[in-house]
Amino acid sequence: MPGAIYAEGLVKTFGDVRALDGVDLDVPEGTVLGLLGPNGAGKTTAVRVLTTLLQPDSGKAVVAGIDVLKHPNEVRRAIGLSGQFAAVDEYLTGRENLQMVGQLYQMRSKAAKARAGELLDRFNLADAADRTAKTYSGGMRRRLDLAAALVVRPPVMFMDEPTTGLDPRNRQQLWEVIQELVAGGTTLLLTTQYLEEADHLADDICVVDHGKVIARGTSDQLKARTGGERVEVVVHERDRMPEARAVLAGFGKGEATVEEHTRKLTVPVAGGAKLLAEVIRELDGRGIEIDDIGLRRPTLDDVFISLTGHAAALTGEEPGEGQAGAKGHGRKAHKAAKETAQ
């Protein structure tokens, strides 16, 4: 049985750019899928297709058991969406924005008002509830947009880089909201550039690059693909780095990498804490002073570099992903909500 979010062979082109090139996804009910990739990889395009905002050139998509292409209005009734850019009406107050969303989804006025109050409290916006959204900071608008996506308690949620622009405290708060949603049975597809976010929240991860899924699995499975543990050493004197690198090469299972500006050397190893002690003894025996040394597992950053050849956050945008695209996305989202209410 397909999951709550299912896609098969999705293709979407913009001129000569193939934004999606045969993407397959399957997200079981009540789980979180982290969709990771550099800017321009196709993440946002996939979200737009799955939420009915874009028509794919080919392929199949089913959300909450509903065919996205055949029954888009029914899909919209079953999902919540928070896009990359906050889609709020800046001339309404925070409370009015949330009540409007509830009424567009045909909630009774009293119920919409009560739900708005709950969400304003949950996202720490109660003190600003009766101010117009144009007076909100960027982070406050982001939180209001996220609250709007949760007004009708959707069984399936899409969050496209939801914590962009949030400070660490508000990001942590949103993580708690997401965990509560999933614990209650909500299925979530999450795109993010914060790799620790996917590590913390996602049950499974798909890595996307150039419109294709190039790897999938749990965080631990993906990390295992990049090899085992690493020894990291920060050398005190820069001119001793070549000698320290030679020492690490004798213990490593691969080539050591060097960060000249931080005087840090990293090498993949096997042997755990026992080997780390041997490295320390060898460096000490050669009189190489170190500022720091440690043994660590691969991170999702390592996964990105291993799989794509570059780090996660790069410049560049998917077609239609800039500010003009954001405005269009907001208009389409409001239009979709109105169509749903009819």
Side-chain angles (χ1 to χ4, degrees):
M1 288 287 290
I5 302 171
Y6 177 78
E8 182 180 323
L10 289 182
V11 173
K12 181 64 182 178
T13 58
F14 298 92
D16 295 332
V17 178
R18 205 168 177 87
L20 297 179
D21 192 7
V23 168
D24 298 330
L25 299 172
D26 193 356
V27 189
E29 185 176 342
T31 66
V32 180
L33 175 70
L35 200 59
L36 305 186
N39 291 338
K43 305 184 304 296
T44 294
T45 301
V47 168
R48 290 176 176 174
V49 168
L50 292 167
T51 56
T52 78
L53 297 176
L54 273 180
Q55 287 265 356
D57 299 330
S58 61
K60 178 181 180 181
V62 177
V63 174
I66 307 165
D67 190 298
V68 172
L69 298 180
K70 293 180 180 178
H71 307 289
N73 283 347
E74 292 182 26
V75 170
R76 291 167 193 151
R77 294 187 183 99
I79 66 173
L81 168 64
S82 176
Q84 270 193 25
F85 302 94
V88 299
D89 190 323
E90 63 180 15
Y91 294 102
L92 297 180
T93 67
R95 191 185 309 280
E96 289 167 344
N97 265 281
L98 298 184
Q99 289 179 204
M100 177 189 68
V101 172
Q103 290 169 347
L104 285 171
Y105 279 92
Q106 299 182 333
M107 292 177 67
R108 292 183 181 275
S109 179
K110 185 176 181 180
K113 184 176 180 180
R115 182 61 174 155
E118 291 174 16
L119 291 167
L120 289 165
D121 286 336
R122 186 69 186 86
F123 284 89
N124 287 337
L125 291 169
D127 290 344
D130 298 311
R131 284 168 38 196
T132 56
K134 67 181 178 180
T135 68
Y136 285 16
S137 66
M140 292 170 70
R141 290 189 186 201
R142 192 67 178 138
R143 280 145 53 201
L144 182 62
D145 180 67
L146 291 166
L150 299 174
V151 167
V152 293
R153 296 183 175 89
V156 179
M157 277 288 301
F158 295 85
M159 293 186 175
D160 194 7
E161 301 191 14
T163 59
T164 299
L166 297 184
D167 60 38
R169 181 175 63 84
N170 284 311
R171 184 177 301 153
Q172 181 65 45
Q173 183 186 50
L174 178 61
W175 288 4
E176 293 171 2
V177 171
I178 290 173
Q179 289 170 326
E180 289 173 9
L181 286 171
V182 177
T186 299
T187 304
L188 173 64
L189 189 150
L190 169 77
T191 79
T192 181
Q193 292 286 6
Y194 297 110
L195 301 183
E196 74 276 14
E197 188 163 271
D199 217 350
H200 186 77
L201 295 173
D203 297 291
D204 287 291
I205 294 170
C206 280
V207 181
V208 181
D209 200 18
H210 299 294
K212 296 182 179 181
V213 175
I214 60 173
R216 68 181 71 202
T218 66
S219 176
D220 286 341
Q221 288 169 342
L222 292 178
K223 290 174 184 177
R225 291 183 57 166
T226 67
E229 299 163 315
R230 278 121 167 89
V231 168
E232 285 187 350
V233 179
V234 178
V235 180
H236 183 69
E237 297 174 352
R238 192 177 302 277
D239 59 2
R240 302 299 300 273
M241 288 179 66
E243 189 177 354
R245 184 177 186 177
V247 171
L248 292 180
F251 291 96
K253 298 296 182 182
E255 186 176 352
T257 60
V258 180
E259 295 180 15
E260 291 285 350
H261 63 293
T262 59
R263 306 186 310 282
K264 183 168 74 174
L265 305 167
T266 304
V267 65
V269 297
K274 181 179 179 181
L275 180 136
L276 182 63
E278 293 174 4
V279 173
I280 294 172
R281 281 196 294 270
E282 182 68 19
L283 291 170
D284 185 59
R286 293 177 180 238
I288 300 173
E289 188 177 353
I290 58 175
D291 292 338
D292 192 22
I293 188 168
L295 186 70
R296 69 168 177 85
R297 298 181 61 209
T299 66
L300 284 179
D301 267 318
D302 297 321
V303 171
F304 259 96
I305 293 170
S306 173
L307 292 172
T308 70
H310 46 67
L314 297 179
T315 58
E317 297 173 336
E318 292 182 37
E321 223 178 271
Q323 287 294 344
K327 294 176 183 176
H329 170 83
R331 289 194 296 271
K332 288 183 180 179
H334 284 300
K335 181 182 178 183
K338 290 177 181 178
E339 290 175 356
T340 300
Q342 291 174 354

